[in-house]
Amino acid sequence: MGPPVGGHRRGPSRYGPQYGHPPPPPPPPEYGPHADSPVLMVYGLDQSKMNCDRVFNVFCLYGNVEKVKFMKSKPGAAMVEMADGYAVDRAITHLNNNFMFGQKLNVCVSKQPAIMPEQAAKNRIQHPSNVLHFFNAPLEVTEENFFEICDELGVKRPSSVKVFSGKSERSSSGLLEWESKSDALETLGFLNHYQMKNPRLTASNYSGLSISLRLTGSSAQEEAPDHSYESLRVTSAQKHVLHVQLNRPNKRNAMNKAFWREMVECFNKISRDADCRAVVISGAGKMFTAGIDLMDLASDILQPKGDDVARISWYLRDIITRYQETFSVIEKCPKPVIAAIHGGCIGGGVDLITACDIRYCAQDAFFQVKEVDVGLAADVGTLQRLPKVIGNQSLVNELAFTARKMMADEALGCGLVSRVFPDKEVMLDAALALAAEISSKSPVAVQSTKVNLLYSRNHSVAESLNYVASWNMSMLQTQDITKSVQAVTENKELKSVTFSKL
């Protein structure tokens, strides 16, 4: 093993003594809820462009980076010591298999033990995207300034530059967007902490500002236009991806009257939104949802309108069918919907997530079909969809009859969720990364796939084959096929292909 490659040192604590162990074996196909070691291995680095400082710039987004060492025995490989195993897990989840300078990164856990220092509380964990948030830039920074710096560093220019009109009198901030995630990731390695000179002052009396960059992710989202609600918060997570949050954290996201109405309005808009290609649903605060807000709905349910049995029953049936539509609208939405669950997912929460297409959860998540504990049978989707989701009628009956909690590991084992993550941040970033991956595909292909999967769930194989044949006799004429095949044959990422709106 040799010394750090290129770049100036930032301090002796970051790049410590050389490691004396041989390189670890290739990464295992799966790793646990958190890595066993705070040290990770990175393979596939371009040694002509990457040094310790640039590796630090990329990995510091996922936790404290204590040391970086390039390996002399394996060109293009480095060891990175993070603050703890959770930081390693975050880095692997978001960076493994991404490309930098045409080379695929292979990021895996090392068996090398190390001291685990305390993690900084203000680290911002974000998945890679094609947009960087810059701050601490000179006040009068322009698009041309960024073009000149990128040309000087030998990285691609951003396709667009947006400077925010902030209140700071010393620096400016904004967004830089590239055509691909790889271009943004490469620029992050070179440009993060770059000294930018103030165009109004000479170098002799002002050394410049050290620009900072962050990948935009779950913590840097703008409110989506035309989505203003009392119980929900809808943000544009990134291009073509919307993030819908249950937003009553002080009430544990309990489902009040506004919620039942606003979810229908929200997803009807999303269904018609040609820019949206994937959706993530999560809960604000300490849990996903506590289920129905009984206090808010008591007047409707416990004191129904009507002066005889027939009229009271008619009124209650109308309420039930309207509440059923609150979750059916998610299933009817042609855009894939990913549920990201942390903490409790109780009662109506199970109705909600079973209407979603993909479910991720954090290790602290638990699931409860709670209705029998409040004297009623679940009537807005759980009893109809849960058996189809997990395919185990005995388990469904047990959960529905007893209202017992199902913890995250059991939910993974029975198929209710497809992945479990160590905490909410890691889970949410993984869900958004998955949504971004889905949104990079042809919207004709993805939405056609969802429609046919749902049809096949409720029909025989013969009926479903006939349905998809009728469906594809028109959909196969799309230009998206030509564009996708051309990208594959030219070894390009689908993210670089521009598909028309749908």
Side-chain angles (χ1 to χ4, degrees):
M1 299 182 189
V5 177
H8 60 279
R9 292 175 179 265
R10 298 174 187 270
S13 63
R14 181 165 297 148
Y15 311 130
Q18 298 177 11
Y19 297 104
H21 291 257
E30 297 289 341
Y31 49 90
H34 64 83
D36 295 328
S37 167
V39 179
L40 52 78
M41 298 299 306
V42 189
Y43 300 94
L45 296 168
D46 187 328
Q47 283 192 290
S48 66
K49 293 183 170 66
M50 296 299 292
N51 57 29
C52 287
D53 280 347
R54 290 167 182 173
V55 171
F56 170 84
N57 285 342
V58 173
F59 281 83
C60 70
L61 301 185
Y62 303 97
N64 280 1
V65 177
E66 302 301 320
K67 306 177 185 70
V68 177
K69 282 289 182 181
F70 274 80
M71 299 176 62
K72 186 176 181 180
S73 60
K74 292 187 76 68
M79 301 182 79
V80 181
E81 181 181 340
M82 306 291 289
D84 53 35
Y86 287 105
V88 169
D89 181 79
R90 287 192 290 264
I92 292 173
T93 297
H94 303 302
L95 293 178
N96 191 36
N97 293 326
N98 280 287
F99 285 83
M100 290 188 72
F101 305 106
Q103 296 184 188
K104 181 183 284 189
L105 296 181
N106 187 343
V107 186
C108 60
V109 181
S110 170
K111 292 184 179 179
Q112 170 69 46
I115 298 174
M116 295 186 294
E118 184 178 354
Q119 181 179 342
K122 295 185 179 180
N123 280 339
R124 300 174 65 188
I125 311 305
Q126 292 126 353
H127 58 279
S129 72
N130 65 324
V131 180
L132 298 179
H133 173 212
F134 73 84
F135 51 97
N136 204 39
L139 270 177
E140 297 181 0
V141 70
T142 65
E143 180 181 78
E144 192 59 36
N145 295 144
F146 284 108
F147 288 168
E148 291 173 357
I149 293 171
C150 288
D151 292 344
E152 176 188 338
L153 296 176
V155 294
K156 289 186 180 179
R157 293 181 172 188
S159 57
S160 69
V161 177
K162 178 180 180 181
V163 180
F164 295 151
S165 55
K167 299 180 180 179
S168 173
E169 298 179 357
R170 298 186 64 254
S171 63
S172 63
S173 62
L175 298 176
L176 305 172
E177 181 175 3
W178 280 262
E179 292 182 356
S180 72
K181 181 170 61 179
S182 299
D183 294 341
L185 200 58
E186 291 166 4
T187 306
L188 175 68
F190 276 66
L191 191 56
N192 199 13
H193 306 132
Y194 181 89
Q195 289 282 327
M196 293 186 71
K197 293 183 175 61
N198 191 321
R200 296 183 300 175
L201 301 174
T202 64
S204 61
N205 59 13
Y206 189 76
S207 60
L209 294 171
S210 179
I211 185 173
S212 294
L213 298 173
R214 292 290 184 271
L215 291 158
T216 61
S218 59
S219 60
Q221 299 176 14
E222 297 180 355
E223 297 287 341
D226 302 322
H227 285 281
S228 179
Y229 307 107
E230 175 188 327
S231 66
L232 305 173
R233 179 173 182 257
V234 182
T235 53
S236 299
Q238 52 192 288
K239 190 175 183 181
H240 303 311
V241 176
L242 290 179
H243 181 194
V244 178
Q245 281 185 293
L246 311 187
N247 195 34
R248 301 183 71 212
N250 294 335
K251 298 290 185 179
R252 301 188 301 166
N253 296 322
M255 300 171 175
N256 62 352
K257 292 178 183 178
F259 167 85
W260 298 97
R261 179 184 70 255
E262 290 174 346
M263 280 289 284
V264 177
E265 179 185 347
C266 174
F267 274 88
N268 280 335
K269 287 182 179 179
I270 290 174
S271 295
R272 298 189 298 267
D273 185 350
D275 284 321
C276 177
R277 297 181 185 175
V279 183
V280 173
I281 297 181
S282 70
K286 296 182 178 180
M287 67 189 305
F288 185 73
T289 178
I292 294 175
D293 188 335
L294 290 173
M295 297 299 293
D296 189 61
L297 299 176
S299 60
D300 286 342
I301 298 174
L302 302 181
Q303 298 175 333
K305 299 177 182 177
D307 54 14
D308 62 20
V309 172
R311 286 166 176 78
I312 293 173
S313 299
W314 194 272
Y315 173 80
L316 285 173
R317 190 180 193 282
D318 179 65
I319 289 178
I320 294 168
T321 53
R322 281 191 285 114
Y323 285 4
Q324 287 174 345
E325 183 64 15
T326 298
F327 303 132
S328 293
V329 74
I330 299 173
E331 192 172 76
K332 294 175 184 176
C333 176
K335 291 56 182 307
V337 181
I338 303 162
I341 306 127
H342 76 289
C345 178
I346 302 168
V350 180
D351 295 289
L352 190 161
I353 66 168
T354 52
C356 297
D357 302 294
I358 298 169
R359 288 163 293 277
Y360 282 179
C361 79
Q363 190 66 54
D364 69 347
F366 66 88
F367 307 84
Q368 231 178 337
V369 184
K370 187 71 172 174
E371 282 79 358
V372 294
D373 277 355
V374 291
L376 56 92
D379 56 7
V380 289
T382 289
L383 302 185
Q384 293 70 37
R385 295 189 177 99
L386 188 58
K388 297 180 184 294
V389 169
I390 66 177
N392 185 331
Q393 190 66 51
S394 175
L395 179 58
V396 171
N397 293 347
E398 177 189 338
L399 295 171
F401 294 157
T402 67
R404 75 166 177 85
K405 292 181 180 180
M406 172 190 279
M407 309 310 290
D409 291 339
E410 185 181 2
L412 177 65
C414 76
L416 178 59
V417 301
S418 52
R419 292 190 67 184
V420 177
F421 296 87
D423 56 45
K424 179 184 177 181
E425 278 189 331
V426 176
M427 171 202 61
L428 191 53
D429 283 342
L432 290 168
L434 176 64
E437 178 70 17
I438 293 170
S439 70
S440 72
K441 316 294 183 185
S442 157
V444 172
V446 171
Q447 294 181 38
S448 294
T449 298
K450 174 170 179 174
V451 168
N452 278 275
L453 283 171
L454 287 171
Y455 186 92
S456 298
R457 183 192 67 182
N458 300 323
H459 295 80
S460 69
V461 172
E463 290 172 317
S464 301
L465 286 172
N466 181 63
Y467 186 82
V468 75
S470 300
W471 183 276
N472 263 3
M473 69 184 187
S474 57
M475 294 301 162
L476 286 177
Q477 300 178 62
T478 177
Q479 290 296 313
D480 290 11
I481 296 176
T482 304
K483 293 178 180 179
S484 299
V485 171
Q486 184 177 354
V488 171
T489 56
E490 295 177 358
N491 201 27
K492 293 181 179 178
E493 293 186 29
L494 279 180
K495 296 177 179 64
S496 65
V497 179
T498 300
F499 295 108
S500 300
K501 294 180 180 181
L502 181 64

